[in-house]
Amino acid sequence: MPAVLDPTGLTHPGRLPISSLRRPFAVDLDGEWDFALVRSPADLGAAAWVRAEVPGLWTMSSDIDRPHYTNVAMPFADVPPHIPTDNPLGVYRRSFTLPSSTDRVILHVGAAEGHLRAYVNGTAVGTSGDSHLAAEFDITDAVREGDNVVELHVAKWSSASYLEDQDQWWQSGLARSVGIVTRPKIALADVTAVADFDPESRRGALALTVDTHGLSHLAEPAHSVRVTLRGSTTELPVSGRVAAPTLPKPDRDRSTRSAPRLPEDFMDLLSIRAASAPVPPEFRAIPNTLGAPPLPASPAGTARFLLDDLDVDPWSAESPALYDLDIELLDAEAHVVDATSLRIGFRRVEIVGRDLLVNGGRIMVQGVARHDVDPRTGRVISYERMHAELSLLKRMNVNAIRTAHYPNDPRVLDLCDELGLYVVDEADVEGHAFASIIPDDPRYLTEIVDRVARMVVRDRNHPSIIAWSLGNETGYGAAHDAAAAWVRRFDPTRPVHYEGAISTDWHGGRGATDIVCPMYGSFSALKAYAADDRADRPLILCEYAYSQGNATGELAHYWELFETLPGLQGGFIWGFVDQALDPDGDGRYRYGGDFGDEPNNGPTLLFGIAFPDLTPKPAFWEARGLFSPVRIVSDGESAGRGRLRIRNRQTFADLSRLELSARIDGPEGTLAEAVIDAGAVAAGAELTIELPATLQTSLAEAIGVSVVVRTRHDELWAPRGTELAVEQVVLPRGPVAMPAPVAPVELGDDGAIEHRLLTMAPRLSLWRAMTDHDVSFALDNRFVRSGVFALDAQSVEVVDGERETVVTTTYTAAFGDEVRHVRTLSRLGDDDFLLHEQVVLPEGTRDGLRVGVEFHLVAGFDTARWTGLGPWENYPDRSASALLGAWESPIDEMSVPYIVAQENGTRGGTTRLALRGPSGVVEVEMTEPLHINVARHTVAELEAADHWWKLPASDGTVVHLDIAHRGLGSALLGPDTRPIHRLFGERYEWTWRLRLRATA
């Protein structure tokens, strides 16, 4: 037992070496504990004890110490390795009963967020400072038969806190399960299973090393290890201790003349062989054992197996074939004294040239960065939540996760093995605030290497892991080279990944990364790397498509580059789930600053393509389509003739597990749909499909032809018939013809249409509620500088003609620039108007947000139906997966409730819109496709609300019709939308029709 418990978190007295083995709890300690939160251990005597749930984080329920969000800066002013004096201490205490046993007794703490100090019956048993890996302590000498008391002290801060400065909430408590494990004195200690698959021979091989406790000191252990795989059993003895070899002692016997046994200078043979030099003839008779590399041997206390030429199916994310491996430790009488089981997958990961290969195939990484986060419990994640998250990813065609930025619960990796997801496993090392000094600080060297090594030891048997990450945003220094060297030596079967090593030079950092893994690379930089002769490693973006708020623009362009340029293999979208918290369960999501936490980085952690409750955002649907296993590669002209050509985008699997249907999309909805027989199209292959005659008869009325991809069978992550993607080819559309003008329109004094359904008549709109990315520092306030957020009508001129009325309105923008709007109106019938719009922006206008009109309706409209892109929100640079068709939605569901209120809910490509409800019907037609937005709140209301749940209640309807709308980009952290999706024009013109029919 340690005499003194080190408070720094940089050494760990009493903590046992980590293992890949997991044993069931003999005593499960999850549940209610006594808990006290104090400012220092000296305050424990006067502490107020309450009941607390384990696993649980006190920051999610305490009024004293709440969640605190910072991105880069530490939440205190100290510098490494100093520990803040204000350092809350959470003390967890409970009793447990231990039956009589001769086994060793181990205390297992799955994860302690903070610095852990463990006590049993008042005896200090050890410490741990790694918040995201388990700590185990041998408490055999501290426990007694019967009742025992365990105390876990968790200090919020330690010197190790500087290594856990990830972009997430600072939390404190016990985040994973706690329990008592028992094992025999002679037992299995660890297992290393290297399950290889040769893509050429299509055969597998298993190199297995089994380590034991309690046998390595014996010269001739009587124990053996029995291994069973696929019904075949192999048994080998546990190796004994072998005396270290030494040179013979000099022969001092002079009584007889001894015969020469070795040639002169024979000791030179050691270095000759090491130098691969020719062996002189006189040395060739010497046994090869002298100077030759030793034959593979099983170290003392281990058993090594090599099972080869195995007839197995390979593991991949597309076909995650797993096999049960049973391992038993037997004593001299062949009794089983200990046993474990693994689920192994046979696969090979290698880098060949510029390609990362799995089983010889060049995979595309369709990944997301995953954090542990649950809005109700913080980083306490239930198995049900894990399964729900990973199943959602599979249904959305994501094939990889990066465990940003720490090792996940081992059960997450079990699920990735089982469901089929590639994993970049990331160590709990992020010294972001002090990234320039920590990696070269010798005080942190051992801890950084140890955190990386413990992760690798724990997780090395998971086939889903295809790369080891040394951590995140901790600069680049000696500690990274040391950690990478250790990993490469310990596990040469996987590449090493570390962004910091190449952050300033994509061709450098070879000591610490085998993959070029930048963050938020620009399109021009990616093209340049692909074309550079020096580029000899695969490039996989460890973070890209920064998705804070309404974002993820240009995702399709990223994938155009990934799929067409050499050396680019995808990446990990930042990120998966918004990290907002809802500790009270009232649906009011909180972000940085909402708990009184200062300093803070506000909503920066709202970067998910899914909301905290796992509801996909529109950006996720965009990704689903781009990641589809099937793609239509023929054009609209071929589709119009009844022929489609599809490609299987997968790397390994054919299409036999998928069901494909062809659907004819019309302007009023689906015209026809039928299952099509695609057969078992091989991975990467294409197939031309003739549409059935029953579908071809509908093509004359069609606006698009779609292929719907569904699961053919029940999967672990989705039932049979689950839709995985809809691929569409759009058929040519001509302009919509409008009736000829009939008569001028009687207008109000301000030139506006007057109607009882309108609370605001159509008027010019040039502004949207700015998205998080619109306010990016990189955009240099360009939109605000335009001044068009405020338009003041300086003059209105109304001129009636024979069949039309012309309204010319001159506006002054906020900073004095003139905007001219000319509207030509004509009456087509009762409450039926034809409007032609002309907008002239100030000369030299450089980029804008929208050009269109806006009108407001009275209460009493509840349904929207439109013909255009849908069903989800889409924008010019995030519409590749949107589908052209007829869609219907409750108006209340047309908006997207981004946690920070901002522009949302727009849908492009629209030629018809109908709004219905008890108050009447409003219909809009466009001569060319427009962007529509139907919502309950105005731009001003959205901009005034810093949380969605603070928006005022509204039963009115706000309608925007835009001839031009800017893309979204990801300029907060990454490339802005491309010029093609920006608004550079000074003149805009379009025509539309408005019909207003009030209920009698």
Side-chain angles (χ1 to χ4, degrees):
M1 300 296 175
V4 179
L5 295 187
D6 171 39
T8 68
L10 301 181
T11 62
H12 312 284
R15 191 178 72 187
L16 296 175
I18 203 165
S19 166
S20 67
L21 299 186
R22 277 178 273 162
R23 296 180 181 273
F25 289 156
V27 181
D28 188 342
L29 297 180
D30 285 354
E32 284 199 337
W33 290 51
D34 292 325
F35 174 74
L37 180 60
V38 295
R39 286 297 173 185
S40 73
D43 298 333
L44 267 178
W49 290 86
V50 297
R51 300 291 280 170
E53 192 72 19
V54 173
L57 303 171
W58 76 67
T59 39
M60 291 298 290
S61 57
S62 169
D63 293 328
I64 301 172
D65 187 27
R66 305 308 310 273
H68 192 150
Y69 171 55
T70 60
N71 178 10
V72 178
M74 298 296 290
F76 50 76
D78 294 86
V79 298
H82 299 290
I83 304 170
T85 54
D86 183 7
N87 191 10
L89 179 72
V91 179
Y92 296 84
R93 177 190 295 163
R94 70 162 291 169
S95 60
F96 65 94
T97 301
L98 196 67
S100 176
S101 173
T102 59
D103 289 349
R104 304 301 298 180
V105 183
I106 311 297
L107 171 63
H108 172 98
V109 181
E113 295 254 358
H115 183 251
L116 172 67
R117 303 141 196 193
Y119 302 82
V120 173
N121 295 328
T123 300
V125 295
T127 73
S128 183
D130 186 336
S131 292
H132 297 97
L133 284 174
E136 292 189 332
F137 310 98
D138 190 330
I139 61 173
T140 306
D141 296 335
V143 295
R144 52 184 176 250
E145 183 180 346
D147 293 338
N148 295 267
V149 176
V150 58
E151 273 194 14
L152 302 178
H153 294 200
V154 181
K156 189 174 187 72
W157 309 117
S158 70
S159 301
S161 299
Y162 296 97
L163 294 179
E164 298 184 355
D165 184 21
Q166 289 96 350
D167 182 6
Q168 62 184 4
W169 294 101
W170 292 98
Q171 301 269 25
S172 302
L174 299 173
R176 297 178 191 161
S177 290
V178 179
I180 301 297
V181 171
T182 59
R183 63 166 175 80
K185 292 180 180 178
I186 296 176
L188 297 172
D190 208 350
V191 173
T192 303
V194 179
D196 184 45
F197 182 80
D198 184 350
E200 293 188 9
S201 68
R202 309 296 296 175
R203 309 293 282 185
L206 175 64
L208 182 70
T209 300
V210 180
D211 293 276
T212 65
H213 287 296
L215 296 175
S216 61
H217 65 292
L218 300 177
E220 295 183 3
H223 289 68
S224 62
V225 175
R226 183 166 64 200
V227 171
T228 302
L229 176 67
R230 303 183 70 232
S232 178
T233 298
T234 306
E235 187 174 332
L236 288 176
V238 174
S239 295
R241 178 181 177 184
V242 177
T246 60
L247 292 174
K249 293 181 179 180
D251 185 356
R252 300 188 182 279
D253 182 5
R254 301 180 183 181
S255 61
T256 60
R257 178 185 294 172
S258 62
R261 293 178 295 167
L262 297 168
E264 294 180 6
D265 301 322
F266 83 95
M267 288 295 287
D268 290 355
L269 187 58
L270 291 171
S271 55
I272 287 173
R273 282 188 168 141
S276 300
V279 177
E282 62 271 24
F283 292 163
R284 292 173 186 167
I286 296 175
N288 284 337
T289 54
L290 182 64
L295 295 174
S298 184
T302 71
R304 284 184 172 172
F305 298 78
L306 179 59
L307 309 177
D308 56 9
D309 197 31
L310 301 174
D311 182 14
V312 293
D313 293 324
W315 186 97
S316 70
E318 296 168 17
S319 302
L322 293 175
Y323 295 88
D324 291 321
L325 175 66
D326 297 322
I327 301 165
E328 298 167 303
L329 179 62
L330 311 178
D331 63 14
E333 288 74 37
H335 297 141
V336 176
V337 297
D338 199 9
T340 192
S341 295
L342 304 178
R343 297 274 281 161
I344 62 171
F346 291 83
R347 60 101 184 93
R348 178 180 294 177
V349 180
E350 56 188 333
I351 291 177
V352 178
R354 302 178 69 173
D355 297 326
L356 175 69
L357 307 181
V358 174
N359 300 330
R362 184 179 188 269
I363 64 169
M364 296 302 292
V365 177
Q366 300 172 173
V368 298
R370 179 193 178 275
H371 277 264
D372 276 345
V373 62
D374 183 296
R376 294 299 308 279
T377 57
R379 276 190 289 277
V380 176
I381 312 297
S382 68
Y383 180 81
E384 292 73 22
R385 170 89 179 191
M386 297 174 198
H387 194 282
E389 286 187 14
L390 301 181
S391 296
L392 173 62
L393 292 177
K394 289 289 290 185
R395 294 195 300 272
M396 301 298 273
N397 301 316
V398 171
N399 70 359
I401 65 168
R402 172 181 171 224
T403 66
H405 300 292
Y406 39 80
N408 287 178
D409 188 304
R411 295 175 298 171
V412 169
L413 301 178
D414 293 342
L415 286 168
C416 290
D417 295 342
E418 194 80 26
L419 303 182
L421 286 161
Y422 300 117
V423 177
V424 171
D425 202 6
E426 189 150 282
D428 189 10
V429 178
E430 179 165 344
H432 204 160
F434 295 94
S436 62
I437 61 173
I438 280 182
D440 286 317
D441 186 335
R443 293 171 296 186
Y444 283 92
L445 170 64
T446 302
E447 180 65 9
I448 290 173
V449 175
D450 189 53
R451 286 174 177 236
V452 174
R454 294 181 76 233
M455 172 188 70
V456 174
V457 170
R458 188 196 75 165
D459 296 341
R460 65 189 183 273
N461 295 328
H462 288 280
S464 55
I465 297 172
I466 61 171
W468 302 114
S469 172
L470 305 182
N472 186 63
E473 293 179 321
T474 312
Y476 178 35
H480 294 108
D481 287 339
W486 186 92
V487 172
R488 288 174 174 139
R489 175 75 178 187
F490 184 82
D491 178 23
T493 71
R494 297 176 176 94
V496 174
H497 164 294
Y498 181 58
E499 180 271 340
I502 53 86
S503 61
T504 59
D505 179 7
W506 288 5
H507 304 286
R510 296 172 185 273
T513 189
D514 303 312
I515 297 169
V516 178
C517 45
M519 294 179 177
Y520 311 110
S522 70
F523 305 132
S524 59
L526 294 174
K527 292 175 184 176
Y529 182 85
D532 197 313
D533 291 339
R534 296 172 296 166
D536 58 358
R537 291 174 290 180
L539 188 151
I540 299 170
L541 289 160
C542 73
E543 295 175 18
Y544 79 110
Y546 185 68
S547 296
Q548 181 180 332
N550 190 359
T552 329
E554 302 292 2
L555 186 63
H557 188 57
Y558 269 118
W559 276 88
E560 179 185 359
L561 300 181
F562 295 157
E563 295 185 309
T564 58
L565 297 179
L568 310 184
Q569 280 186 257
F572 297 88
I573 293 172
W574 186 263
F576 177 23
V577 177
D578 280 346
Q579 289 197 62
L581 298 178
D582 181 17
D584 301 326
D586 57 12
R588 296 183 172 188
Y589 291 126
R590 279 79 158 179
Y591 53 80
D594 285 345
F595 296 101
D597 44 319
E598 294 292 343
N600 69 78
N601 287 97
T604 303
L605 45 53
L606 306 179
F607 45 59
I609 54 175
F611 286 106
D613 64 357
L614 301 185
T615 299
K617 296 181 184 177
F620 210 166
W621 297 107
E622 176 84 345
R624 185 189 81 153
L626 294 170
F627 297 168
S628 169
V630 175
R631 182 161 295 162
I632 299 174
V633 294
S634 53
D635 58 18
E637 184 179 348
S638 296
R641 297 197 305 267
R643 179 174 295 177
L644 294 176
R645 188 162 184 81
I646 63 171
R647 175 185 299 140
N648 179 357
R649 288 187 64 251
Q650 299 175 109
T651 305
F652 306 106
D654 61 29
L655 297 184
S656 60
R657 294 192 66 83
L658 303 175
E659 179 183 271
L660 306 185
S661 297
R663 188 179 73 198
I664 310 301
D665 303 311
E668 300 297 332
T670 299
L671 298 172
E673 183 172 355
V675 173
I676 54 177
D677 182 12
V681 181
E686 296 184 359
L687 175 71
T688 298
I689 298 170
E690 290 283 345
L691 295 179
T694 54
L695 300 187
Q696 294 201 31
T697 56
S698 301
L699 286 172
E701 307 169 56
I703 58 175
V705 178
S706 298
V707 172
V708 184
V709 184
R710 299 183 177 93
T711 54
R712 186 183 295 275
H713 312 286
D714 287 339
E715 304 285 355
L716 294 174
W717 41 270
R720 174 184 177 182
T722 298
E723 183 183 284
L724 301 180
V726 182
E727 289 288 303
Q728 186 184 59
V729 58
V730 174
L731 302 184
R733 285 192 291 174
V736 177
M738 292 291 182
V742 174
V745 179
E746 185 176 340
L747 302 172
D749 294 339
D750 58 354
I753 297 172
E754 294 181 331
H755 193 280
R756 65 188 176 109
L757 291 182
L758 296 171
T759 58
M760 188 182 87
R763 62 163 292 170
L764 180 65
S765 176
L766 303 178
W767 192 252
R768 71 186 183 194
M770 296 180 76
T771 69
D772 289 342
H773 294 264
D774 290 340
V775 300
S776 165
F777 170 81
L779 298 184
D780 193 25
N781 218 28
R782 71 174 64 159
F783 306 119
V784 173
R785 287 204 314 272
S786 74
V788 299
F789 57 87
L791 296 177
D792 184 17
Q794 296 297 305
S795 65
V796 178
E797 181 182 279
V798 179
V799 178
D800 287 326
E802 182 180 350
R803 295 183 178 179
E804 57 194 19
T805 300
V806 179
V807 180
T808 302
T809 307
T810 302
Y811 296 93
T812 300
F815 305 121
D817 298 300
E818 183 178 285
V819 176
R820 189 163 178 263
H821 177 208
V822 179
R823 170 178 289 152
T824 303
L825 302 95
S826 176
R827 186 179 297 281
L828 302 178
D830 292 341
D831 301 324
D832 189 356
F833 307 95
L834 183 66
L835 301 92
H836 179 76
E837 315 281 2
Q838 292 177 304
V839 178
V840 181
L841 300 178
E843 185 177 351
T845 294
R846 180 181 176 274
D847 208 355
L849 294 172
R850 72 172 0 135
V851 177
V853 295
E854 170 187 6
F855 60 89
H856 301 176
L857 301 177
V858 299
F861 288 88
D862 50 32
T863 302
R865 181 177 175 83
W866 72 100
T867 299
L869 294 177
W872 45 81
E873 166 199 271
N874 54 82
Y875 289 83
D877 63 351
R878 204 190 66 209
S879 60
S881 302
L883 305 168
L884 184 63
W887 310 105
E888 186 170 303
S889 170
I891 292 174
D892 289 340
E893 298 177 13
M894 291 288 285
S895 296
V896 180
Y898 295 106
I899 294 171
V900 175
Q902 57 197 278
E903 158 65 29
N904 70 90
T906 291
R907 283 133 172 112
T910 302
T911 52
R912 295 182 189 176
L913 171 65
L915 306 172
R916 291 181 169 83
S919 292
V921 177
V922 174
E923 295 177 304
V924 176
E925 285 186 86
M926 305 82 162
T927 57
E928 58 184 298
L930 299 185
H931 307 272
I932 67 164
N933 191 298
V934 180
R936 295 298 189 197
H937 296 98
T938 66
V939 168
E941 288 172 332
L942 291 171
E943 290 205 313
D946 57 7
H947 293 71
W948 186 268
W949 48 267
K950 291 184 180 180
L951 284 166
S954 173
D955 55 6
T957 299
V958 179
V959 181
H960 282 269
L961 308 173
D962 297 334
I963 185 63
H965 199 107
R966 194 181 197 275
L968 299 168
S970 56
L972 261 181
L973 206 55
D976 188 16
T977 191
R978 291 179 296 152
I980 193 175
H981 297 132
R982 302 178 196 176
L983 276 58
F984 289 125
E986 295 178 6
R987 301 180 65 91
Y988 295 87
E989 192 168 348
W990 71 102
T991 300
W992 60 291
R993 181 180 185 180
L994 174 64
R995 281 178 283 191
L996 303 161
R997 299 202 303 271
T999 300

